Amino acid sequence: MYIYDSVKKTKLPFEPIKEGEVSIYVCGPTVYDDAHLGHARSSLAFDLLSRTLKALGYKVTMAKNFTDIDDKIIKKVEETGKSMEEITSFYIERYLEEMQALGVQRADLEPKATESLHAIESMIQKLVDKDCAYIANSGDVYFDTSKDPHYGEISHRVAEDEDALSRVEHTDEKRNPKDFALWKACKGNDDICFDAPFSSGRPGWHIECSAMIEKYFKGSSQYSIDIHGGGADLLFPHHENEAAQSRCVTGHELAKYWMHNGFVQINGEKMSKSLGNSFFLKDALKVYDGEILRYYLNSVHYRNDFNFNEEDLLTAKKRLDKLYRLKKRVSPGKGSVVNKAFKKALLDAMSDDLNISIALAAIDEMVANTNDALDANPKNKALKKETLANIEFIDTLLGFGSKEPFTYFQIGVDEALKEKIETLLAERTTAKKAKNFERSDAIRDELIAMGISIMDTADGTVWEKA
């Protein structure tokens, strides 16, 4: 397995801290609003990573946190009059439902900031005791970046990047412009605060991830975890700051490997709420099936920026359609054993820093070759069973192909039309039993005119959108 390390900026052979086991921490959402396509892209990228490592035989433990205390959440509380717990619980549940719709497997650990306050306070106190952090007169606690000689080695650009520095909040209480808040003291009686030795307040954003990692993972004398992941926008300041504070507390590096997925753009424009073009996942799922979205969003290598547009999505769906048409051709039945060469081709591709393009090309080739073989020998039962096993492995590794094929080809038909189709099919069945073939043929013609094709099987009549 080779993965691209964002810090070293090269592909490296993956060698876990503990043989046979992998620890992964992925930065999850701040739960004050609905998830957008950027959240989906990140979740899908690291879902592919986890699935690949598991397929290679590793025992994987993945954590994905929820930031459930933050200035944006507090603003939502003020705007809505709802409690912080009401808001965060709602958006966590919505997020998990939408990720499930995309076929994203649940993380093994899903820590929340509000449930990790003791660990956060403990880490901050250690930093203060080591003189790596200082308590301001206001009660805010800041990390002193000058105390970490390696600060800037994660993003490689902090020292000289004025634009990056401008993203760090400035205050007269800071010793250094690059210093960042570990703890924010209460600003008024209506503020949401928690008691701590330094002051009544709440944790800064960066400290929660470091504290959670130390709380849930044992690590080694060199690293706390194997892989730390997230979107490319988190490289600075979030991951830079995480690495610094963890380094000063533990005396070793936070992660052995750092992985980052690219941005999502809509028709070429970087997705940003400030630009007014954020594409909520809930809206996409109203129009497109989750499996089709998954296939499309994963069709571009995770490190590359993704340009979301409907034309490309429909092209991707046609590619997925071919897999399901093959599945329909070899169904029903049970899979036997995955073709060794096919399995190796997929694993080799995904072991090369999740090279999805090569993996999808291998699937296309398998589909084409199998169709050719079935054209030559339509009754090849062994091939049909092997093909079903191949598709089952695709689902295990890449997360698509699990649907019953006729159900898949009903995607996009609304409930009212489905009800009308089922009513017509029931009437057709009655007509056939009564040997009223003129009526049954008329119903078939009516369905065809509606864009619906039907097939009579031993288990009854099935239909799909033509």
Side-chain angles (χ1 to χ4, degrees):
M1 178 80 180
Y2 282 79
I3 60 176
Y4 183 90
D5 184 83
S6 302
V7 174
K8 296 183 176 63
K9 298 187 182 299
T10 188
K11 276 195 283 191
L12 299 172
F14 177 66
E15 298 172 352
I17 296 169
K18 187 175 181 180
E19 187 176 354
E21 298 184 14
V22 185
S23 52
I24 306 172
Y25 184 94
V26 178
C27 290
T30 300
V31 284
Y32 70 100
D33 208 344
D34 288 301
H36 53 63
L37 291 173
H39 294 124
R41 182 96 198 282
S42 183
S43 291
L44 287 167
F46 292 101
D47 182 64
L48 280 182
L49 175 66
S50 176
R51 287 170 179 265
T52 298
L53 289 166
K54 288 175 182 177
L56 291 171
Y58 289 102
K59 178 184 177 183
V60 177
T61 302
M62 177 183 281
K64 184 192 290 184
N65 73 303
F66 291 108
T67 297
D68 61 345
I69 174 65
D70 180 85
D71 291 345
K72 293 174 183 176
I73 296 171
I74 293 171
K75 184 179 179 183
K76 196 89 168 185
V77 170
E78 295 170 350
E79 291 173 348
T80 63
K82 295 181 179 179
S83 70
M84 186 175 74
E85 199 279 331
E86 280 181 293
I87 291 168
T88 57
S89 294
F90 174 81
Y91 286 115
I92 287 172
E93 184 176 352
R94 175 77 67 85
Y95 175 88
L96 292 172
E97 288 173 354
E98 291 171 353
M99 292 307 118
Q100 183 178 17
L102 293 176
V104 174
Q105 297 175 337
R106 289 280 294 265
D108 303 287
L109 302 167
E110 295 173 340
K112 301 175 185 176
T114 55
E115 295 174 349
S116 306
L117 288 170
H118 179 73
I120 291 169
E121 291 167 15
S122 176
M123 179 170 275
I124 293 173
Q125 190 62 57
K126 288 176 183 176
L127 288 167
V128 171
D129 292 344
K130 291 186 174 187
D131 195 32
C132 293
Y134 53 94
I135 305 173
N137 292 331
S138 63
D140 292 345
V141 184
Y142 292 96
F143 179 82
D144 188 342
T145 54
S146 69
K147 298 298 176 69
D148 177 21
H150 300 288
Y151 189 76
E153 292 181 2
I154 296 295
S155 61
H156 299 294
R157 62 186 177 89
V158 176
E160 69 280 356
D161 193 333
E162 292 182 3
D163 178 62
L165 285 175
S166 70
R167 295 171 64 188
V168 183
E169 183 182 357
H170 291 280
T171 172
D172 292 338
E173 293 185 320
K174 289 185 180 183
R175 296 175 182 172
N176 184 311
K178 291 183 290 187
D179 295 353
F180 56 89
L182 300 172
W183 187 261
K184 298 180 179 182
C186 283
K187 305 304 179 188
N189 293 332
D190 296 330
D191 206 353
I192 297 174
C193 304
F194 303 88
D195 291 331
F198 350 102
S199 65
S200 178
R202 59 184 181 277
W205 177 35
H206 314 300
I207 192 67
E208 66 174 88
C209 291
S210 291
M212 289 173 182
I213 288 171
E214 297 308 318
K215 178 180 178 180
Y216 290 103
F217 294 100
K218 291 182 180 179
S220 70
S221 60
Q222 290 181 291
Y223 306 99
S224 298
I225 54 173
D226 289 298
I227 300 170
H228 197 320
D233 56 322
L234 299 182
L235 189 57
F236 181 83
H238 190 47
H239 289 167
E240 189 70 69
N241 293 348
E242 275 188 59
Q245 62 202 10
S246 292
R247 195 158 40 225
C248 289
V249 167
T250 66
H252 61 238
E253 292 298 323
L254 179 58
K256 189 172 183 181
Y257 304 91
W258 293 82
M259 298 178 70
H260 294 86
N261 61 276
F263 295 110
V264 175
Q265 302 172 331
I266 297 178
N267 292 327
E269 187 175 6
K270 178 182 172 182
M271 183 164 59
S272 166
K273 290 193 174 180
S274 62
L275 297 176
N277 67 337
S278 181
F279 194 172
F280 284 123
L281 182 55
K282 66 177 183 180
D283 297 324
L285 287 169
K286 289 176 185 176
V287 182
Y288 309 110
D289 179 75
E291 185 173 330
I292 294 169
L293 278 173
R294 177 189 180 91
Y295 184 93
Y296 175 53
L297 289 168
N298 273 339
S299 64
V300 173
H301 192 268
Y302 78 94
R303 282 193 283 116
N304 294 337
D305 288 348
F306 189 97
N307 181 31
F308 190 102
N309 67 77
E310 189 170 28
E311 184 179 349
D312 288 347
L313 187 149
L314 295 175
T315 299
K317 180 186 179 302
K318 289 177 181 178
R319 199 174 178 187
L320 182 59
D321 287 352
K322 292 179 181 179
L323 177 68
Y324 271 103
R325 293 207 178 278
L326 175 61
K327 186 174 184 179
K328 185 173 76 169
R329 189 173 186 180
V330 298
S331 297
K334 292 184 178 181
S336 55
V337 179
V338 184
N339 180 279
K340 288 183 179 180
F342 176 68
K343 183 176 182 179
K344 183 179 184 301
L346 288 191
L347 286 177
D348 284 351
M350 297 304 289
S351 295
D352 181 15
D353 193 39
L354 309 182
N355 196 326
I356 191 68
S357 296
I358 292 178
L360 294 179
I363 292 171
D364 291 343
E365 184 179 11
M366 183 275 292
V367 170
N369 290 342
T370 304
N371 277 321
D372 288 345
L374 289 173
D375 287 345
N377 184 4
K379 296 182 179 181
N380 190 334
K381 292 183 179 180
L383 178 59
K384 290 181 179 181
K385 289 182 178 181
E386 181 184 86
T387 302
L388 287 170
N390 289 348
I391 296 172
E392 288 170 7
F393 181 68
I394 292 169
D395 179 45
T396 299
L397 182 64
L398 303 179
F400 59 84
S402 64
K403 283 185 171 64
E404 191 279 323
F406 278 96
T407 300
Y408 172 82
F409 287 108
Q410 292 174 9
I411 290 171
V413 178
D414 62 40
E415 292 304 316
L417 182 54
K418 282 183 181 180
E419 187 175 342
K420 182 177 181 180
I421 293 166
E422 295 296 341
T423 300
L424 287 171
L425 288 177
E427 186 182 343
R428 179 174 176 270
T429 299
T430 301
K432 287 180 69 176
K433 286 181 179 179
K435 297 186 178 180
N436 186 350
F437 300 117
E438 183 178 352
R439 178 56 186 154
S440 68
D441 289 345
I443 292 172
R444 175 187 285 273
D445 292 341
E446 183 178 352
L447 289 167
I448 290 172
M450 292 164 56
I452 304 299
S453 62
I454 62 175
M455 181 182 296
D456 295 318
T457 72
D459 297 321
T461 304
V462 291
W463 63 272
E464 67 177 56
K465 186 178 179 181

